[in-house]
């Protein structure tokens, strides 16, 4: 059994992580740490887990009795944690924050996009940085093109995200009265996940120097991300579909569909569903994911499966809430 510990256990991603791990056949959840709700029962915070777990949030951290640590604390806190704790040599760490997503020489974390970096994760990596949820949707939309050196024009991307993308911390833009029946653009052209998107695309296509014009928007729904991108592409649609289908053929969670997807096709799953269309000279790419699963906890468990040599889909077979 893989012994698991979680720090930052009170947030949305951590709650989904606990839910998945409780049903994972090869996992023993040893403890869930939280500084803010230590001592409280987990089900009093993550109420959807009633009847599934009888455990309280820990106020202590024992790194010697676990095999993998999931870090679900805010940005900057994982790096701080590593600097202030003695980390066992063999402990694997999966960071869901953005502390280690940029490969800048200051750490040994592998970027946890399995559709790009599965081999290093299987071949002995110890530390993995989970991609950001917006970045995940954009990267999966574009990496087959980058692999085939087809990113040769500016890219325009509109992304609509659910309220849970902002985390569990209460703020005005997550209040029901504001969010319901409402939409707003935020951080246009300068989203903090842009650097990791550029890093991924340039790693695959070194000649890529075009602009990505990204417009994130807050949507009036709880969870899910829809990313709609368009760019110039000279190929016929049938050839583009072939390129995407071949790229994702041996990956277990990303699928090409002939139907324009909606969020309910992926919410509550670890899937990414992509639709391709060609209108004039423009390639239109629509991608949908669940921000808390494929864009968060689900991908983190997928990463764990790779690190420990398990079948990739173990614990991650979930049905979309289509109705």
């Amino acid at each position: 059994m893989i012994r698991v510990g979680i720090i930052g256990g009170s947030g949305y991603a951590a709650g989904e992580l606990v839910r998945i791990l409780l049903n994972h056949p090869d996992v023993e959840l040893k403890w869930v740490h939280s500084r803010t709700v230590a001592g409280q029962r987990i089900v009093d915070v993550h109420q959807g887990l009633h009847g599934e777990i009888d455990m309280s949030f820990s106020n202590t951290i024992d790194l010697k009795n676990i095999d993998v640590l999931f870090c679900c604390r805010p940005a900057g806190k994982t790096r701080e944690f590593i600097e202030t704790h003695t980390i066992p040599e063999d402990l694997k760490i999966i960071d869901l924050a953005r502390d280690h997503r940029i490969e800048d020489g200051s750490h040994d974390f592998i970027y946890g996009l399995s559709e790009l970096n599965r081999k290093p994760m299987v071949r002995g990596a110890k530390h993995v940085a989970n991609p950001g949820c917006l970045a995940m949707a954009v990267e999966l939309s574009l990496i087959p093109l980058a692999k085939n050196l087809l990113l040769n024009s500016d890219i325009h991307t509109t992304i609509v995200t659910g309220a849970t993308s902002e985390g569990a911390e209460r703020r005005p833009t997550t209040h029901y009265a504001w969010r319901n029946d409402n939409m707003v653009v935020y951080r246009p052209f300068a989203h903090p996940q842009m650097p990791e998107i550029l890093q991924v695309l340039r790693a695959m296509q070194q000649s890529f120097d075009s602009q990505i014009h990204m417009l994130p928007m807050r949507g009036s729904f709880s969870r899910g991300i829809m990313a709609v991108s368009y760019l110039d592409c000279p190929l016929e649609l049938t050839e583009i579909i072939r390129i995407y289908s071949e790229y994702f053929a041996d990956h277990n969670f990303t699928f090409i569909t002939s139907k324009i997807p909606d969020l309910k096709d992926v919410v509550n799953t670890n899937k990414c569903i992509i639709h391709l269309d060609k209108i004039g000279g423009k390639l239109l790419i629509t991608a949908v994911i669940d921000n808390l699963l494929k864009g968060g906890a689900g991908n983190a468990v997928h990463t764990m499966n790779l690190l420990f040599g398990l079948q990739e889909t173990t614990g991650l077979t979930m049905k979309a809430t289509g109705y």
Side-chain angles (χ1 to χ4, degrees), residues 110-163:
I110 300 295
Y111 190 69
L113 184 66
S114 66
E115 290 84 356
L116 174 66
N117 287 328
R118 180 165 56 187
K119 285 184 180 179
M121 287 189 274
V122 170
R123 294 176 179 176
K126 290 183 180 179
H127 304 150
V128 176
N130 221 45
C133 55
L134 275 77
M136 171 77 75
V138 176
E139 289 160 3
L140 292 175
S141 297
L142 299 175
I143 54 176
L145 297 176
K147 173 73 180 304
N148 289 273
L149 308 181
L150 291 169
L151 295 180
N152 301 309
S153 72
D154 284 2
I155 301 163
H156 301 264
T157 300
T158 299
I159 303 172
V160 188
T161 70

Side-chain angles (χ1 to χ4, degrees), residues 174-281:
T174 59
H175 194 284
Y176 177 83
W178 184 90
R179 195 93 185 199
N180 188 52
D181 296 328
N182 200 11
M183 289 186 71
V184 68
V185 173
Y186 74 105
R187 294 176 175 172
F189 310 127
H191 195 277
Q193 292 178 23
M194 182 64 77
E196 63 187 278
I197 296 171
L198 295 173
Q199 174 180 262
V200 164
L201 298 181
R202 288 169 179 163
M204 302 195 74
Q205 181 179 332
Q206 294 183 12
S207 63
F208 175 65
D209 62 356
S210 301
Q211 296 293 313
I212 300 179
H213 306 285
M214 189 164 76
L215 284 175
M217 304 180 73
R218 294 185 171 105
S220 59
F221 49 90
S222 296
R223 58 196 289 169
I225 292 178
M226 176 174 285
V228 183
S229 306
Y230 68 90
L231 68 157
D232 295 334
C233 185
L235 301 183
E236 295 295 328
L237 181 59
T238 53
E239 178 65 10
I240 297 168
I241 293 173
R242 182 193 66 78
I243 287 171
Y244 273 74
S245 298
E246 288 185 0
Y247 187 94
F248 293 119
D250 65 341
H251 293 283
N252 291 286
F253 295 109
T254 302
F255 305 94
I256 311 304
T257 177
S258 60
K259 168 186 171 292
I260 297 176
D262 55 52
L263 291 179
K264 286 192 173 183
D265 291 334
V266 295
V267 166
N268 198 46
T269 79
N270 197 50
K271 296 177 183 177
C272 174
I273 294 180
I274 296 173
H275 177 262
L276 303 160
D277 199 3
K278 189 78 184 291
I279 302 171

Side-chain angles (χ1 to χ4, degrees), residues 41 91 165 172:
R41 296 190 310 158
L91 179 66
S165 292

Side-chain angles (χ1 to χ4, degrees), residues 16-80:
E16 288 294 81
L17 190 56
V18 171
R19 178 172 71 92
I20 298 169
L21 293 175
L22 287 175
N23 293 286
H24 194 294
D26 298 303
V27 162
E28 179 185 4
L29 184 59
K30 300 293 289 187
W31 46 262
V32 181
H33 178 269
S34 174
R35 293 179 300 176
T36 58
V37 292
Q40 294 186 34
R41 296 190 310 158
I42 289 176
V43 295
D44 289 339
V45 175
H46 302 302
Q47 298 181 39
L49 296 175
H50 274 288
E52 298 183 47
I53 186 171
D54 184 17
M55 184 185 292
S56 296
F57 288 102
S58 172
N59 61 3
T60 60
I61 296 171
D62 184 358
L63 300 178
K64 294 181 180 179
N65 77 336
I66 59 172
D67 302 304
V68 59
L69 175 69
F70 289 93
C71 301
C72 302
R73 295 172 69 185
K77 296 301 183 180
T78 301
R79 191 180 289 268
E80 177 185 289

